[in-house]
Amino acid sequence: MKPSNNIWIQRQQCPCGDWKCYIKYEGDDQTSASSQTVKSETTSSELVFTPYVGQIFKSDDDAFEYYSNFARKNGFSIRKARSTESQHLGIYRRDFVCYRSGFNQPRKKANVEHPRDRKSIRCGCDAKLYLTKEIVDGLAQWYVSQFSNVHNHELLEDDQVRLLPAYRKIQEADQERILLLSKAGFPINRIVKVLELEKGVRPGQLPFIEKDVRNFVRTCKKTVQENDALLTEKRENDTLELLEACKSVAERDPDFAYDYTTDENDKVENIAWLYGDSVRAYALFGDVVTFDTTYRSITYGLLLGVWFGMDNHGRAILYGCVLLQDESSHSFTWALQTFVRFIRGRHPQTIVTDMELALRDAIARELPNTKHVVCIWHILSKLSSWLSFPLGSRFELVSDKHMALLFSYRGFWSISYIRGSFLARTMTPEFSQSLHAFLKRILSGQTCLQVFFEQIGLAAPAGNQTRDGMRYMHIKTCLPIEEHARSVLTPYAFNVLQHEIVLSLQYAIQEMADGSYLARHFKKMDGECLVIWMPEDEQIHCSCKEFEHSGILCRHSLRLLEVKNYFQLPERYFPPRWRRDQSLFPMDDQNSQSNNDDCAQALHALTETLLTESLTSKERFNHVQREITGLLAEVRSMPVAEELSLNMPGNNVSET
C-alpha cells in the first residue's frame, strides 16, 4: 500500500481533555458534500422499475446491479446462485436469488467445548431472477428468462435494509481514513463517531456498522503496520525537504528566520519559520498577534500553528508557521520562545488563541506581560457540540464539565474581563472568517510539507497585499472632525470611525456635578456611558472602553468632543497602527483624493437629478431601476485601475 498524502483536518479533541469528547465544526463544505454522497448511495435506486421476463441487459453484471438496486428499494438483498456454461458460449446462464433463498446445509461441528450455534437466515424464499445469454448480430446480450418477486418472509424498511451485509460497504476513501485513525490510536467506536461527524450524518446512519470497521481493521492489521512504517519514512523525507526549502529561502532572504529541534535519533521533531516581510510588518502591527492552532496533519501527527496579525487596512498578515510534534506544554513553550526570538524580543501586547490548557500555561510563563485572550468565535464553534447531547440527558444536564471549563477560562474571553485590552478589531467575525477561509483554502489539498510551505509562502509577503478596500472615502456628516480624520486614517479605520461619528449625533451630553459627563441615546436604545474629559492634556475616557479595545474613539467620546467644539481629534487618538502613513505600501495622495471628491460631487448631482425625474411616474422609475441595475453589474465587471485621473467636464445637467 502506498502511503497517503498529507491530510490536514481541524482538531476535534475537546479542550476539556476527555478523549471521548470531540468537536463538530459547523459549516464545513466537506461535511455537506460527504453527507450528500451518503444520501445518494441510499437513494440511487429510486428510478429502478420492477424487472420483467424478456428484459435485456448488455452484460450479466449490469443485470445484477439493476436487480440489486431493485432489491434494496424493496427491502431485501440478493446473491449469486448457480451458473451454467458451455464450451461454445462460456457462461450462458446466471441465477440471482433472494438472500434468504434455500436452506443452510448442516455442517460438521468442530471439536470444541462450546461450539457457536448460529441461526440461519435462509428460509427457502423463491424470489429470483434468471438470466440467459444469446447472440444477436454477433453480439452477446442477456435477457431475463424467469422472474419471481414472491417472498415468504417480511421485507425490511429503509433503515433496516441498509444494514444487510450486501449493502454494508466501506468505500476506499473511508478505508484510508479508518486506517489513519486506527494508526493514531483511536478506538473503533471513536472512529465511527469521527466518520459520522465528518459526513454530517446522524449516529448509526453510515453505510456500514461498527462491526464492519472492526473486521476491516483486524484484517488490515498487518497492512496498518506496513503503512505505519511507510508513513514514518515519508514524514522523515517530507520534513527534511521542508528543512531544505527553509535553508534555500534563508539564502535568498536574510530576514527569513527558521529553527528546528531533533529527537534522540536526530530526526526533525519541531520546525518553525518566519518570513522576512513579516518581520518588518511586525514592527508596525505586532501589538496584537493571533496564534491559530486549529489544524493538524492526521497523516504525520503534526500540529500546525500559524501566527497572524492585522494591518492598518484590517487585513490579515501571515507572520509565520510552526509544526509541532505534539500539543504538550513543552512544545508550545518552544514555539513561543522561537517566535519571540524571530521577532527580536518584542513581545506582543495581546495574543489571541483557542482554548488550550498547555498553551495557556506556556503563554503565562513565556509572555508574562502579554494579555492572553481566547477567541470568542472558537468558543462559539464548540457550543453546538457541547450542548448537542439530548437536552442534557433530558434536563438532568449530567456533569456540566464544559460549563465549568468555560467558567475557569472566563478571564480570557468574557467581555467584562477583556474589554480594556487592546485587540485592534481582531475579534470581529469578518476577521475570524477570513483566517478560517485562508487556512481552509491553503490546507484543502493533500500535499507534502514542501508544497504546503511554498503555497503558504506565496500568501505571506506583505508586499503582495492588494489594494482591495482602499476605495473612495465619502463624507457623511460634513463635520470637520470627519473631514480631518479622512486625511489621517486608512479607509478601513476611517469607515469604523465614521460609523461612530454618524451614531454620535444621536446622543445627548449631560454634565455631572463631579465634572464628568453622561452620554445618553435619544431613544435610550443602549445604556448610559460615563465620559471623563481632561482638557489640560486633551485626554478623554469612556466607560465603554472602545478606544482601549480597538484604538478607535467611541460615539460617546466623539459626541463630547463635538459639543466642546473640536474641529480635529487630538493626535493621541490617531494611533500609528491605523494611520495612512504607516501602510506597508504607498497610499493614494491628496490629489487623488481630491479627484475622487470631484467625481463624487459630479455623480451625486447626476443621481440627484435622476432620482427627481424617475419619481414622476412608475414607468420612469422601473426604466431607471432596470438600467441602473445593468449599469452597476457592468461597472463591477470592469478592471480596477491603480489610479483615478479624470478630466471632469463641467456639470451641464439642467434642473428643469
Side-chain angles (χ1 to χ4, degrees):
M1 176 181 292
K2 294 182 179 180
S4 305
N5 288 327
N6 190 22
I7 302 174
W8 300 95
I9 65 168
Q10 295 189 68
R11 296 166 63 199
Q12 296 169 322
Q13 182 62 50
C14 179
C16 71
D18 186 352
W19 68 267
K20 293 179 290 186
C21 188
Y22 49 91
I23 300 299
K24 176 182 178 181
Y25 292 94
E26 301 292 339
D28 192 339
D29 293 338
Q30 290 181 346
T31 295
S32 59
S34 299
S35 176
Q36 189 65 32
T37 300
V38 174
K39 292 176 182 177
S40 66
E41 291 175 357
T42 62
T43 59
S44 61
S45 60
E46 290 181 357
L47 299 178
V48 178
F49 299 100
T50 303
Y52 57 90
V53 174
Q55 187 174 2
I56 297 175
F57 297 94
K58 292 182 179 179
S59 68
D60 54 341
D61 289 335
D62 289 347
F64 183 82
E65 182 180 0
Y66 187 93
Y67 191 27
S68 179
N69 289 334
F70 170 80
R72 180 165 188 167
K73 182 180 178 181
N74 288 273
F76 66 102
S77 66
I78 62 172
R79 58 182 172 86
K80 295 178 180 179
R82 66 177 182 175
S83 60
T84 308
E85 62 179 309
S86 69
Q87 184 175 358
H88 301 289
L89 291 177
I91 297 178
Y92 65 91
R93 174 168 170 167
R94 288 281 194 189
D95 295 353
F96 304 145
V97 298
C98 174
Y99 76 114
R100 302 193 69 175
S101 172
F103 298 94
N104 262 13
Q105 298 298 323
R107 299 181 180 178
K108 294 183 179 179
K109 294 185 178 180
N111 188 19
V112 293
E113 185 175 354
H114 300 289
R116 298 173 64 182
D117 187 14
R118 293 182 177 177
K119 185 177 180 180
S120 173
I121 63 171
R122 298 191 180 185
C123 60
C125 180
D126 194 41
K128 59 183 180 257
L129 184 148
Y130 292 171
L131 289 174
T132 301
K133 183 167 70 173
E134 62 180 357
I135 306 298
V136 179
D137 296 331
L139 297 176
Q141 65 180 22
W142 296 78
Y143 68 92
V144 178
S145 55
Q146 292 187 50
F147 173 72
S148 171
N149 197 32
V150 178
H151 299 264
N152 64 353
H153 56 87
E154 292 185 0
L155 300 178
L156 304 178
E157 299 294 333
D158 289 343
D159 61 339
Q160 297 173 314
V161 71
R162 68 180 185 82
L163 299 177
L164 291 176
Y167 306 127
R168 299 201 317 256
K169 297 179 180 180
I170 304 178
Q171 302 297 328
E172 183 177 349
D174 293 329
Q175 292 178 8
E176 180 178 352
R177 194 81 168 92
I178 290 169
L179 290 177
L180 288 172
L181 291 170
S182 177
K183 165 191 168 294
F186 282 59
I188 299 300
N189 62 336
R190 178 75 187 284
I191 292 176
V192 173
K193 289 181 179 179
V194 169
L195 292 174
E196 289 171 344
L197 285 173
E198 292 179 343
K199 292 179 177 293
V201 299
R202 297 190 303 274
Q205 295 299 310
L206 290 172
F208 46 84
I209 61 176
E210 187 174 309
K211 175 184 176 182
D212 301 322
V213 177
R214 182 173 288 104
N215 291 339
F216 173 72
V217 171
R218 185 183 297 116
T219 303
C220 297
K221 186 175 181 180
K222 182 178 179 181
T223 306
V224 170
Q225 294 172 348
E226 294 173 352
N227 199 39
D228 183 54
L230 291 173
L231 286 175
T232 301
E233 181 182 359
K234 189 174 188 297
R235 170 181 164 173
E236 292 174 0
N237 293 335
D238 265 12
T239 50
L240 288 177
E241 291 176 356
L242 173 60
L243 190 58
E244 289 300 318
C246 288
K247 292 178 181 178
S248 177
V249 174
E251 292 174 357
R252 301 192 303 269
D253 182 1
D255 290 326
F256 178 84
Y258 74 98
D259 196 6
Y260 63 97
T261 63
T262 57
D263 58 18
E264 60 276 6
N265 298 318
D266 203 30
K267 306 294 184 182
V268 177
E269 192 175 34
N270 305 311
I271 184 168
W273 63 92
L274 207 72
Y275 298 95
D277 285 341
S278 300
V279 174
R280 293 184 284 274
Y282 184 87
L284 295 174
F285 310 114
D287 43 15
V288 181
V289 170
T290 297
F291 186 40
D292 192 289
T293 56
T294 304
Y295 284 86
R296 67 177 296 110
S297 167
I298 192 171
T299 310
Y300 297 154
L302 294 172
L303 174 69
L304 172 64
V306 186
W307 304 94
F308 288 106
M310 175 187 276
D311 69 5
N312 54 350
H313 294 277
R315 291 179 298 226
I317 304 173
L318 174 61
Y319 291 133
C321 303
V322 61
L323 291 171
L324 299 176
Q325 175 77 20
D326 53 39
E327 303 163 27
S328 65
S329 179
H330 175 75
S331 295
F332 283 126
T333 297
W334 179 84
L336 292 172
Q337 291 174 344
T338 305
F339 179 73
V340 170
R341 188 171 70 255
F342 286 165
I343 58 177
R344 299 161 189 172
R346 292 172 292 193
H347 291 197
Q349 186 177 337
T350 308
I351 184 170
V352 182
T353 72
D354 197 353
M355 297 177 68
E356 181 74 51
L357 179 59
L359 179 57
R360 184 182 71 177
D361 295 341
I363 291 174
R365 287 193 305 269
E366 301 302 322
L367 303 174
N369 298 321
T370 297
K371 175 63 177 178
H372 182 195
V373 174
V374 172
C375 181
I376 187 64
W377 304 109
H378 284 302
I379 294 177
L380 293 177
S381 69
K382 297 175 176 61
L383 288 182
S384 61
S385 297
W386 288 347
L387 304 178
S388 62
F389 302 103
L391 292 181
S393 297
R394 303 304 298 176
F395 304 108
E396 293 181 8
L397 295 179
V398 292
S399 60
D400 216 346
K401 60 182 179 182
H402 297 120
M403 296 303 104
L405 179 67
L406 275 179
F407 183 76
S408 69
Y409 271 88
R410 64 190 182 282
F412 298 88
W413 64 268
S414 175
I415 192 66
S416 59
Y417 285 92
I418 68 173
R419 186 61 182 171
S421 302
F422 184 68
L423 285 164
R425 296 186 61 81
T426 58
M427 295 285 273
T428 60
E430 295 79 13
F431 185 74
S432 179
Q433 290 166 6
S434 70
L435 298 189
H436 175 71
F438 169 78
L439 290 174
K440 191 173 183 180
R441 184 175 68 253
I442 293 293
L443 302 174
S444 60
Q446 301 179 11
T447 58
C448 65
L449 296 180
Q450 182 182 358
V451 174
F452 159 72
F453 173 76
E454 294 171 353
Q455 289 177 341
I456 204 168
L458 293 175
N464 287 353
Q465 295 279 7
T466 65
R467 304 174 69 90
D468 293 343
M470 293 186 292
R471 297 175 180 171
Y472 172 68
M473 301 178 291
H474 62 283
I475 296 298
K476 293 183 178 179
T477 67
C478 294
L479 291 174
I481 283 180
E482 183 185 13
E483 293 187 7
H484 176 248
R486 184 177 68 163
S487 66
V488 178
L489 299 175
T490 62
Y492 174 81
F494 174 73
N495 286 336
V496 178
L497 179 66
Q498 185 183 55
H499 179 69
E500 295 296 315
I501 291 174
V502 171
L503 292 179
S504 71
L505 301 177
Q506 302 177 6
Y507 284 78
I509 294 293
Q510 177 184 355
E511 187 172 4
M512 309 296 289
D514 59 358
S516 61
Y517 297 84
L518 201 63
R520 180 186 294 112
H521 192 271
F522 81 104
K523 287 185 178 179
K524 297 183 179 180
M525 295 177 63
D526 57 3
E528 301 172 339
C529 285
L530 185 67
V531 185
I532 299 175
W533 167 241
M534 293 180 285
E536 58 277 3
D537 52 1
E538 295 187 316
Q539 287 194 46
I540 191 167
H541 300 278
C542 182
S543 60
C544 76
K545 297 184 178 181
E546 178 61 32
F547 182 76
E548 293 82 353
H549 192 66
S550 68
I552 304 291
L553 270 181
C554 65
R555 61 200 69 171
H556 319 105
S557 299
L558 289 167
R559 185 56 180 158
L560 180 57
L561 292 176
E562 293 161 8
V563 170
K564 294 293 182 181
N565 297 323
Y566 266 76
F567 294 154
Q568 296 182 2
L569 296 181
E571 279 296 309
R572 68 168 67 240
Y573 296 110
F574 291 120
R577 73 135 31 250
W578 294 130
R579 298 176 70 103
R580 297 166 61 92
D581 54 15
Q582 295 296 311
S583 297
L584 294 170
F585 40 85
M587 292 282 297
D588 294 334
D589 57 21
Q590 293 302 317
N591 291 333
S592 176
Q593 184 65 46
S594 177
N595 287 338
N596 288 339
D597 286 340
D598 293 339
C599 292
Q601 291 176 9
L603 286 177
H604 180 72
L606 284 171
T607 54
E608 198 172 54
T609 304
L610 187 62
L611 176 63
T612 303
E613 294 292 334
S614 64
L615 292 178
T616 58
S617 71
K618 186 175 181 181
E619 182 181 3
R620 283 189 174 191
F621 175 80
N622 291 337
H623 175 73
V624 170
Q625 185 182 39
R626 182 170 59 253
E627 293 298 319
I628 288 181
T629 301
L631 179 61
L632 181 60
E634 183 180 352
V635 170
R636 284 176 172 169
S637 65
M638 297 173 64
V640 179
E642 287 295 320
E643 298 291 340
L644 180 60
S645 179
L646 298 177
N647 296 320
M648 295 301 300
N651 183 10
N652 297 322
V653 179
S654 174
E655 294 297 330
T656 59

